[in-house]
Amino acid sequence: MGFETNRVAMWLRLFSFLVCINLTLCFLQEMTFYMEPDYGGNAFRFRTKEPDLTAYWPLWGEVKWLCGNGYWQGFGGTGYTDGSTFAYNSGGMTCTNTSVNSTMSMRFLGPLETTTPSVSIYSGSSYDPAGGTERIFTNLAANSFGFVPTYMALTGRSNWTGFINEDFSGNSTCFSTSELVAGISLEGIEIRSLVQGCNAIYESKYVDVDKVL
């Protein structure tokens, strides 16, 4: 009986240790808006991508404080269009005074869970590169995007190589990050296919995404 009790206690300690590690190394992307500064008044929290925030329009003018986790982008129009109203990128929960009264849609970049190795691409414009259509890839390779991406987001501290041609050939760029979520404008870089990882055989141009955040 004593042996079984000790074994259960050992597994519980191990489980607690692993949970602590997990909570330290990963987070879900979320955004909370408060009606008063310093966490005051009514609040509403998002963990979803919101293409149409019309229903929240009467409340936006009252927002005075937000707390966020992850990489979020707000837009002046529905469907992630009409220019950026705010951009928020944090590797942990941080809070700030802010106003979001012109925001009609918003989303976090990439998947909800940032430990997932992924690459996300966007069909934005020169003035709003992270807008438009978002495509998220978690497999080892991707092509046939349907558009030439204007922005890229990486999660899970993963590295990716982008090629100028759809058949994973031609000039390429290695994108590297040590962050759980990071993004970069692709201005001047044409990408039509992607593979996870970076390999010297591709003779790629190297871009440290963390240094251009």
Side-chain angles (χ1 to χ4, degrees):
M1 182 67 176
F3 174 77
E4 290 296 326
T5 301
N6 289 338
R7 187 164 64 175
V8 170
M10 179 188 70
W11 281 111
L12 286 174
R13 285 195 296 270
L14 178 60
F15 176 78
S16 299
F17 175 73
L18 293 175
V19 167
C20 288
I21 291 178
N22 186 60
L23 291 175
T24 301
L25 297 180
C26 69
F27 56 80
L28 298 179
Q29 302 198 72
E30 68 176 37
M31 184 73 72
T32 304
F33 298 91
Y34 296 87
M35 300 297 101
E36 300 295 337
D38 300 320
Y39 318 99
N42 294 327
F44 41 102
R45 177 177 298 167
F46 294 90
R47 284 183 175 174
T48 54
K49 299 175 191 282
E50 299 289 339
D52 188 348
L53 290 168
T54 302
Y56 292 89
W57 185 257
L59 300 174
W60 276 158
E62 304 300 320
V63 172
K64 297 180 175 64
W65 186 262
L66 71 79
C67 294
N69 212 4
Y71 200 156
W72 289 79
Q73 190 97 25
F75 301 87
T78 59
Y80 317 115
T81 60
D82 291 348
S84 175
T85 57
F86 73 86
Y88 192 91
N89 187 3
S90 171
M93 184 64 70
T94 58
C95 302
T96 184
N97 291 312
T98 192
S99 172
V100 293
N101 56 347
S102 59
T103 299
M104 292 298 294
S105 59
M106 68 177 182
R107 65 185 171 197
F108 52 85
L109 274 57
L112 177 65
E113 173 53 75
T114 58
T115 57
T116 302
S118 76
V119 59
S120 302
I121 55 173
Y122 302 84
S123 66
S125 61
S126 58
Y127 66 90
D128 186 18
T133 300
E134 176 187 55
R135 298 195 65 187
I136 302 173
F137 302 103
T138 57
N139 46 325
L140 296 179
N143 60 358
S144 301
F145 305 146
F147 56 86
V148 177
T150 54
Y151 198 85
M152 172 188 293
L154 310 177
T155 63
R157 297 192 175 97
S158 58
N159 302 325
W160 293 79
T161 299
F163 299 87
I164 194 170
N165 298 320
E166 286 197 359
D167 61 354
F168 311 99
S169 68
N171 293 337
S172 62
T173 304
C174 163
F175 298 92
S176 175
T177 180
S178 61
E179 301 291 336
L180 283 174
V181 56
I184 184 173
S185 170
L186 296 178
E187 182 178 3
I189 305 174
E190 289 188 24
I191 291 176
R192 294 179 175 84
S193 57
L194 287 156
V195 296
Q196 189 173 154
C198 295
N199 195 311
I201 64 173
Y202 302 135
E203 299 181 349
S204 307
K205 173 186 176 182
Y206 178 79
V207 174
D208 186 341
V209 177
D210 301 342
K211 293 184 177 179
V212 293
L213 290 176

